[in-house]
Amino acid sequence: MSTLDTLSPALEALRDIEHQAADQGLPFHGQVPPELAWALFEAGDARLVDVRTAEERKFVGHVPDSLHVPWATGTALTRNPRFARELEAKVGKDSTVLLLCRSGKRSALAAEAAAKAGFTHVFNVLEGFEGEIDADQHRGGSDGWRYRGLPWVQD
């Protein structure tokens, strides 16, 4: 029995998202709004993995108790060739995994790679940690984990 067979409201919502993703032909298991991601993580129903660089986590902030597996490293964002292996070592392939990045773009790529590597319940967290960049070249003014007032800390 997978964790998605449980009938909690958050898991039911995740199951619906997974079915929608299949209907839409997404290359991974679905896209989760930040508030649902927090509810699942806080309840222990999912593992939250930050795929940003170590520098982003340190200087911009991160979700307390989240795991870290960088999708890319350095300022050039060089793709981490060991991403799927490192992710598997931290969470296993059958866990419900929520991937979070700055805006939701890298985590979508990471979710696709994880699904192709055999992860059975891997999801992208929409909006990311900082949100989409606006017309003034700023983030965090209209969406994102921090904008939504969800828990985060900064080193």
Side-chain angles (χ1 to χ4, degrees):
M1 177 188 279
S2 80
T3 58
L4 295 180
D5 292 328
T6 307
L7 298 176
S8 75
L11 284 171
E12 279 295 322
L14 192 61
R15 180 182 289 164
D16 291 344
I17 287 169
E18 193 166 26
H19 288 129
Q20 291 168 5
D23 292 345
Q24 296 166 355
L26 283 180
F28 49 91
H29 301 99
Q31 309 226 53
V32 178
E35 297 88 349
L36 178 58
W38 173 249
L40 291 160
F41 178 61
E42 184 179 40
D45 292 328
R47 311 290 297 274
L48 182 63
V49 180
D50 192 328
V51 301
R52 296 174 300 152
T53 66
E55 295 84 3
E56 286 174 291
R57 280 179 58 90
K58 179 165 182 59
F59 297 115
V60 178
H62 60 274
V63 179
D65 301 319
S66 62
L67 299 171
H68 181 232
V69 179
W71 170 249
T73 59
T75 56
L77 295 178
T78 303
R79 168 83 162 75
N80 176 2
R82 298 172 309 281
F83 174 77
R85 287 191 308 269
E86 291 175 12
L87 184 62
E88 182 178 6
K90 289 202 176 181
V91 301
K93 286 189 174 182
D94 293 323
S95 295
T96 299
V97 182
L98 309 170
L99 301 179
L100 177 71
C101 72
R102 179 178 59 201
S103 66
K105 291 178 181 66
R106 279 179 282 167
S107 51
L109 294 171
E112 181 177 354
K116 286 180 182 174
F119 286 78
T120 58
H121 299 291
V122 63
F123 299 84
N124 177 40
V125 178
L126 292 167
E127 302 176 14
F129 188 75
E130 295 180 71
E132 194 58 58
I133 197 162
D134 66 19
D136 295 322
Q137 303 299 302
H138 298 139
R139 293 185 189 277
S142 62
D143 63 1
W145 189 277
R146 291 190 319 181
Y147 176 80
R148 305 270 176 223
L150 298 169
W152 66 283
V153 295
Q154 192 165 13
D155 292 339

